[in-house]
Amino acid sequence: MNAHEITPGVFAIHADIKSAARFEGIWPIPHGVTLNSYIVKGEKTALIDLAKDWSGSIEQYERQLETAGTSFEAIDYLILNHLEPDHTAFIVELRKRNPKAEILSTPKGIALVKNFFKIPEGLREVKTGDSLDLGAGRVLEFFETPNIHWPETMMTYDRAGGTLFSCDAFGSYGTLGDRVFDDEFTAEEHAFYEHESLRYYSNIVSSFSAFVTKALDKLKALEVKTVAPSHGIIWRKNPKTICDRYAKYAGYNTGTAPCEKEICIIWGSMYGYTKAGLEAVIAGIEAEKVPYTIHQVPDTDASFVLADAYKAAGLVIAMPTYEYKMFPPMAHILDLFERKHFTGKKALRIGSWGWVGGAKKEYEERIAAFKWTSVESVEWQGVASEADLALLKERGRELAKLVKE
């Protein structure tokens, strides 16, 4: 696999990570993920972002560096937009192989180089407005974009070519193979990557949506011809597509963009009694012709639940009482909703109980800070009666009507 030239003197190198089960040790990546880095050449050479030695990533990098006419040993500058180890862990070995390369990052980034990786020298702090002149008319500019998604994050901009090196912003799950640019993929493939970018955002970035919005505002002054993230597709034909997509995603939990008029149903059932009640709710939703997705927990990994729930205006939370409290897999989902700031939803909670209730109380305490509009919940003991089922269907219709408004 060769390096891919973005503009004259600017190359993308990437590693396809296919064998790893999870990203960040949490999120499943059945379709893999890419680690993207970039070479920028003037009279001197800069490497923008790095990688960890993960599933053959460094060997993939070295082969592509060679096709770009350089090597780790020839790098003059290492620019670190973000210090999370998937973009930096090889730095210790790189410093051994190339002690002359100067490392540039924000002040908080340099602190992490010193304290996390124990590298004390050959470092330069940069801030918004600072630049690096590589010679031959190639100047890189730096823009601090904190909390996308760590506090030290920045972006690097090549004004000569209009390329924005955005690190985790505008990223996605999914490997790329020998194609890396947006104009090399079919509409069907783009639909896949769109879903994987939503899942990536909901899993990793959604806690920081307010900062995403601030960064997008800051970048409006730039003439961005290519968006070059550290995971996923490089956008050279339609960079506005991924920028608009992230603006929409950021709006889902900050109120700056409406959620989709659909319902995400999340359910768990111990012996089938909650499931039977849920079927009545679904009948009510279907009667109002509102689209929905459905996930059973714990069978469906939380990563996929988050993606559909994040974009949906409506939620159905169906779970039984378990030992006086919420069904534990659902408690985990709600914990993630809190961490990721899933606010402003329209929600219905239902569930059965055995010898005593309790889930309703814990659920209402948990969602109190979410600013959800709640349809009155329905609980029942054991087998749902005909009256229970009729009420559940009506509650489903009520939720669907709220979502349509």
Side-chain angles (χ1 to χ4, degrees), residues 4-317:
H4 295 261
E5 191 171 50
I6 299 174
T7 59
V10 179
F11 299 87
I13 61 174
H14 85 279
D16 281 331
I17 308 302
K18 298 179 179 179
S19 61
R22 292 183 181 270
F23 191 74
E24 294 189 332
I26 307 172
W27 315 112
I29 44 174
H31 306 289
V33 69
T34 63
L35 302 177
N36 303 339
S37 297
Y38 302 92
I39 293 291
V40 183
K41 290 184 173 184
E43 293 170 0
K44 293 190 174 182
T45 300
L47 172 62
I48 300 178
D49 292 317
L50 195 51
K52 63 177 290 187
D53 194 351
W54 187 24
S55 299
S57 60
I58 300 305
E59 290 83 355
Q60 294 179 66
Y61 268 31
E62 288 180 315
R63 290 195 296 269
Q64 293 169 64
L65 284 169
E66 184 178 353
T67 68
T70 190
S71 66
F72 283 128
E73 289 75 15
I75 299 302
D76 298 295
Y77 302 102
L78 172 62
I79 298 168
L80 298 178
N81 286 324
H82 175 38
L83 270 290
E84 197 167 4
D86 57 324
H87 307 298
T88 53
F90 191 67
I91 190 174
V92 175
E93 178 62 24
L94 178 62
R95 175 45 63 98
K96 292 176 184 176
R97 291 165 57 170
N98 183 354
K100 70 176 179 61
E102 188 175 17
I103 299 169
L104 289 76
S105 190
T106 62
K108 290 181 179 179
I110 293 300
L112 283 169
V113 175
K114 293 177 179 177
N115 300 323
F116 193 99
F117 292 110
K118 312 302 189 285
I119 296 174
E121 299 175 342
L123 313 176
R124 187 195 305 187
E125 295 181 356
V126 295
K127 299 179 180 178
T128 297
D130 290 344
S131 61
L132 175 67
D133 190 345
L134 298 177
R138 183 74 66 183
V139 178
L140 297 175
E141 303 173 27
F142 305 109
F143 297 86
E144 293 169 278
T145 53
N147 296 312
I148 312 176
H149 57 117
W150 280 19
E152 86 299 348
T153 306
M154 70 176 184
M155 297 184 190
T156 300
Y157 178 62
D158 172 29
R159 190 173 294 276
T163 300
L164 179 69
F165 305 97
S166 61
C167 203
D168 276 355
F170 311 121
S172 170
Y173 297 133
T175 56
L176 299 176
D178 289 329
R179 297 170 296 160
V180 300
F181 297 112
D182 59 318
D183 53 2
E184 297 179 307
F185 294 94
T186 66
E188 183 179 2
E189 289 169 326
H190 270 289
F192 162 78
Y193 286 111
E194 181 173 5
H195 184 267
E196 287 296 85
S197 66
L198 171 65
R199 191 164 69 89
Y200 175 89
Y201 189 98
S202 68
N203 293 180
I204 295 169
V205 187
S206 58
S207 298
F208 309 99
S209 289
F211 296 96
V212 173
T213 300
K214 289 179 182 179
L216 288 166
D217 288 341
K218 185 181 293 187
L219 297 173
K220 287 178 180 177
L222 304 180
E223 184 184 3
V224 177
K225 298 178 181 177
T226 301
V227 171
S230 286
H231 303 292
I233 290 173
I234 299 167
W235 298 81
R236 69 179 178 187
K237 183 178 181 181
N238 295 304
K240 189 174 183 295
T241 297
I242 192 63
C243 294
D244 289 348
R245 188 176 295 168
Y246 260 60
K248 179 174 68 173
Y249 295 165
Y252 285 158
N253 65 345
T254 60
T256 57
C259 290
E260 308 304 320
K261 292 186 176 183
E262 59 189 52
I263 294 169
C264 180
I265 298 168
I266 311 155
W267 70 281
S269 187
M270 295 170 63
Y271 299 108
Y273 301 122
T274 294
K275 181 182 179 183
L278 176 60
E279 290 170 355
V281 172
I282 291 173
I285 293 170
E286 290 177 342
E288 293 297 327
K289 295 180 171 52
V290 171
Y292 62 87
T293 57
I294 185 164
H295 299 287
Q296 183 181 4
V297 294
D299 301 61
T300 303
D301 190 279
S303 171
F304 301 95
V305 176
L306 287 177
D308 283 338
Y310 184 65
K311 67 185 174 75
L315 300 175
V316 173
I317 308 293

Side-chain angles (χ1 to χ4, degrees), residues 268 270 274 317-328 330-331 334 349-354 356-367 377-380:
M270 295 170 63
T274 294
I317 308 293
M319 60 171 164
T321 292
Y322 184 91
E323 295 180 353
Y324 307 103
K325 292 189 175 183
M326 291 190 289
F327 187 54
M330 194 68 75
L334 290 173
R349 185 260 150 178
I350 69 164
S352 64
W353 50 274
V356 70
K360 181 176 184 292
K361 180 177 183 294
E362 187 188 14
Y363 167 80
E364 290 178 350
E365 290 172 351
R366 178 67 64 86
I367 70 163
S377 64
V378 182
E379 282 196 316
W380 65 95

